Amino acid sequence: MREEHIPYEEEIKTKEAHKKREREQRLLFQDELAESENKYRSLFDNSTSAILIFNLDSEYVEANKAACDLLGYSHYEITHLKVKNIFNSFSHKEFELLYQDFLTKGNAKGEASITTKSGDKKFVDYSSIAFFIPGHHLSIINDVTHKILHQEKIKESLKEKEILLREINHRVKNNLQLITSLINLQMNSLDDKKSHGILTDVQSRLKSMSLIHEFMYESGNFASIKCKEYIERLVQYLRRAYLTGTKKIQTIITIDDHNYGMELVTYLGLIINEVVSNSFKHAFRKKNTGTISIDLRSVEKNYFLLTIKDDGDGFPNKIDINYISSMGIQLTNTLARQLNGKLEIQSSESGTTSLIHFVKN
């Protein structure tokens, strides 16, 4: 009889051992789960970022200490608020559109202003994840008020400097125009054509610089100038100053519509002033019609070529720019060197070409 009960007793022992292992595994899983929950809870509670959880009705259901400190509400008070109560800088329509977009994309991030319990306005950046657990969304919020206010101060400071620079450019332009007017008064009292011509040249040089400050004042851009538009206006002025009588001289300007720095444009303006004014004065003594072309182009990276060409009479003899007495050519050569460049003049009976090779820093 005893032998018949052994298998049954063994079966009981096996079942009990299996149940024991299951209990041990369940307890181990519960311990691991509890440990994991404690870790995440610790991260949640001790995070320096405000962390809030809200449900499908956009009602807050959980908030950490950082969120309470940021918003000024107690935990109980936050769990009786909706998201739009905090992010109240958006209109109802804007909020609904943003919320629907958030649900569709599954996430959202950006900057916004919020209102605390005390009514203070704060700027925050936020990052939200939709359905991080079933039926609930997560938001992480950081206070960036100090950064935003600092940026606003920088913007205000830049605006003040911009206004100051505009005023400086305006005054420089006016001062140059005043000098030009004084020269003009002096010219009216002169009968000497040579002196008259010298003062006209001085006026055109002043005008080339005055135009730069005029452009800066008009555009509000103090870092760069639209080179093509500037040169077009400069050439128009030179035409009025030097071209008289019945001569019909066409000007063709081929320049990329790019912005260049003030220093570079100043040198280019003075160079073009010298060469073009010289063409207007001397190149077409035997002709009533002709063409002056100005071409500025990039040859290689940071390497440029300015070509000023006329189809006038040309120079009678071969030119050595290092031994020529013409002040205009000497000044042009000096300006080219200021650009780390080189002036080359080619002249024949069919006209004169001035080539300025230079490097744009």
Side-chain angles (χ1 to χ4, degrees):
M1 292 291 293
R2 187 176 180 83
E3 292 179 0
E4 294 176 0
H5 291 285
I6 290 175
Y8 177 74
E9 290 174 357
E10 289 294 331
E11 185 180 349
I12 294 298
K13 288 179 181 179
T14 301
K15 287 181 178 180
E16 287 178 352
H18 181 67
K19 287 179 180 179
K20 183 179 179 182
R21 283 196 301 273
E22 284 184 341
R23 284 195 301 271
E24 288 174 348
Q25 289 175 351
R26 187 164 56 251
L27 289 171
L28 180 62
F29 175 75
Q30 289 175 347
D31 289 342
E32 289 176 349
L33 182 62
E35 184 180 357
S36 177
E37 286 178 348
N38 288 335
K39 285 180 180 179
Y40 283 109
R41 189 73 207 185
S42 178
L43 287 172
F44 181 84
D45 290 337
N46 297 314
S47 173
T48 56
S49 298
I51 304 175
L52 299 109
I53 299 171
F54 54 102
N55 60 24
L56 299 179
D57 295 321
S58 72
E59 298 168 335
Y60 288 120
V61 297
E62 187 59 276
N64 68 349
K65 183 179 182 301
C68 296
D69 293 340
L70 174 65
L71 300 173
Y73 291 102
S74 67
H75 181 274
Y76 174 82
E77 289 171 326
I78 289 178
T79 55
H80 286 75
L81 293 174
K82 288 193 170 187
V83 176
K84 62 183 178 183
N85 297 133
I86 303 299
F87 290 87
N88 56 9
S89 61
F90 299 109
S91 67
H92 177 74
K93 186 177 180 180
E94 287 174 333
F95 180 83
E96 290 300 322
L97 287 172
L98 287 169
Y99 187 66
Q100 290 303 318
D101 187 58
F102 163 64
L103 294 177
T104 302
K105 292 181 178 178
N107 62 78
K109 59 175 59 178
E111 288 186 352
S113 62
I114 62 171
T115 304
T116 65
K117 182 180 179 180
S118 62
D120 293 334
K121 183 179 179 180
K122 290 188 177 182
F123 296 97
V124 298
D125 66 28
Y126 63 89
S127 179
S128 301
I129 301 172
F131 304 106
F132 86 109
I133 57 175
H136 292 84
H137 316 304
L138 176 75
S139 278
I140 299 175
I141 301 173
N142 288 290
D143 187 358
V144 292
T145 304
H146 179 73
K147 183 186 82 172
I148 297 296
L149 293 178
H150 182 63
Q151 290 174 346
E152 290 297 324
K153 285 182 179 179
I154 292 174
K155 287 179 182 178
E156 288 178 10
S157 177
L158 288 174
K159 189 175 181 180
E160 289 174 1
K161 289 178 181 178
E162 182 180 324
I163 293 170
L164 180 60
L165 283 171
R166 281 176 65 88
E167 181 62 24
I168 290 171
N169 276 285
H170 186 57
R171 291 190 180 188
V172 170
K173 177 180 73 73
N174 288 344
N175 288 339
L176 289 171
Q177 287 178 343
L178 177 61
I179 295 170
T180 301
S181 297
L182 292 172
I183 292 173
N184 199 49
L185 287 172
Q186 186 67 49
M187 288 169 63
N188 291 334
S189 65
L190 293 175
D191 295 326
D192 181 9
K193 287 186 177 181
K194 184 177 180 180
S195 299
H196 198 279
I198 291 171
L199 291 177
T200 300
D201 290 344
V202 173
Q203 279 187 319
S204 69
R205 289 162 189 153
L206 288 170
K207 183 64 177 180
S208 72
M209 292 184 285
S210 174
L211 267 177
I212 291 174
H213 293 282
E214 188 174 321
F215 264 78
M216 288 186 166
Y217 178 75
E218 289 175 357
S219 68
N221 185 348
F222 307 108
S224 60
I225 297 170
K226 288 184 177 179
C227 190
K228 182 179 181 181
E229 188 177 343
Y230 162 72
I231 290 174
E232 286 173 344
R233 284 170 64 172
L234 176 59
V235 171
Q236 286 175 7
Y237 168 79
L238 294 175
R239 175 186 289 277
R240 291 193 301 269
Y242 292 102
L243 200 59
T244 58
T246 59
K247 292 185 183 295
K248 295 181 179 180
I249 309 302
Q250 181 185 10
T251 53
I252 300 173
I253 299 172
T254 308
I255 298 174
D256 293 335
D257 196 16
H258 293 163
N259 284 20
Y260 296 96
M262 176 184 172
E263 184 178 11
L264 174 59
V265 176
T266 300
Y267 285 126
L268 291 176
L270 287 168
I271 289 171
I272 290 169
N273 174 79
E274 294 304 317
V275 178
V276 173
S277 62
N278 188 67
S279 292
F280 277 134
K281 287 188 293 181
H282 306 296
F284 302 99
R285 289 177 176 176
K286 300 177 183 178
K287 298 179 180 180
N288 288 323
T289 61
T291 302
I292 300 173
S293 63
I294 302 169
D295 184 285
L296 176 62
R297 65 183 61 197
S298 173
V299 181
E300 296 176 9
K301 185 178 180 182
N302 294 329
Y303 186 78
F304 285 75
L305 173 63
L306 172 64
T307 305
I308 306 171
K309 182 178 180 180
D310 68 60
D311 58 359
D313 305 332
F315 287 93
N317 302 308
K318 186 178 179 181
I319 299 172
D320 187 340
I321 59 175
N322 295 311
Y323 297 97
I324 196 165
S325 59
S326 167
M327 180 181 175
I329 294 177
Q330 288 180 348
L331 180 57
T332 303
N333 191 30
T334 301
L335 291 167
R337 289 175 179 173
Q338 290 293 320
L339 290 174
N340 295 319
K342 178 183 178 182
L343 169 65
E344 179 185 350
I345 298 177
Q346 301 169 353
S347 188
S348 66
E349 293 181 355
S350 59
T352 303
T353 301
S354 298
L355 303 167
I356 296 93
H357 309 262
F358 67 94
V359 178
K360 178 176 175 287
N361 295 323

